[in-house]
Structures are given as C-alpha cells and as structure tokens.
Amino acid sequence: FSKIQRQKGPKDRDKFERSVRFLASVPLFKKQLPRADLPGVAALLTEKTWKPGEELCKEGETGNTFFLIYSGQASVLTA
C-alpha cells in the first residue's frame, strides 16, 4: 500500500490524506472502524459531483453504492 502511494504525485497524496481525514470525521466510521482501517477505505473511494437537482438514485431501485457527502447537501424524497 505504501509503495502505491509513493508512486502518486503530491496532488494525489493530498487528496488521499484529505479523504482519510474526512472519513475520520464521519460518525459511522469514527465509532465503528479502527482508525488504522481508514486509509484502506479511502483508497476505495471514487469522487463524483452531481449538478443541483440531479437524481442520485430512486426509491425502490436496487442499490450497490454507499454515498458520503463531502460538500453540499442532498434531499431524500419518498413516493
């Protein structure tokens, strides 16, 4: 794991470290996951940006994604 991180540039390393800090601030991870496991989770994250009003998912759809909101907000609507 360290070898992979060393091969990446400084911007990638900063983004990775920011992700680890963010995960450490999320109550679910803070309470349920040892801090030593956070870098492994951070390495699996994929960043995506949605436009205002864009739908992330619909009620009743089978989901295979876990969403974490780094910035902004989302509304949950039910039918």
Side-chain angles (χ1 to χ4, degrees), residues 29-69:
F29 295 110
K30 195 176 203 175
K31 293 177 183 177
Q32 301 295 322
L33 197 63
R35 189 163 179 84
D37 291 343
L38 296 179
V41 175
L44 299 172
L45 295 177
T46 302
E47 187 174 320
K48 179 158 169 75
T49 302
W50 283 267
K51 296 176 185 170
E54 192 174 355
E55 221 170 56
L56 280 72
C57 57
K58 291 183 181 180
E59 184 177 8
E61 288 181 338
T62 301
N64 62 357
T65 305
F66 183 81
F67 296 97
L68 295 168
I69 299 173

Side-chain angles (χ1 to χ4, degrees), residues 13-42:
R13 182 65 185 180
D14 288 345
K15 186 175 179 181
F16 174 76
E17 289 175 358
R18 194 171 55 246
S19 294
V20 172
R21 285 192 304 274
F22 171 68
L23 290 173
S25 75
V26 175
L28 173 70
F29 295 110
K30 195 176 203 175
K31 293 177 183 177
Q32 301 295 322
L33 197 63
R35 189 163 179 84
D37 291 343
L38 296 179
V41 175

Side-chain angles (χ1 to χ4, degrees), residues 2 6 11-12 16 22 30 39 52 54-55 66 70 76 78:
S2 297
R6 273 191 231 117
K11 284 186 179 180
D12 290 330
F16 174 76
F22 171 68
K30 195 176 203 175
E54 192 174 355
E55 221 170 56
F66 183 81
Y70 183 76
V76 177
T78 58

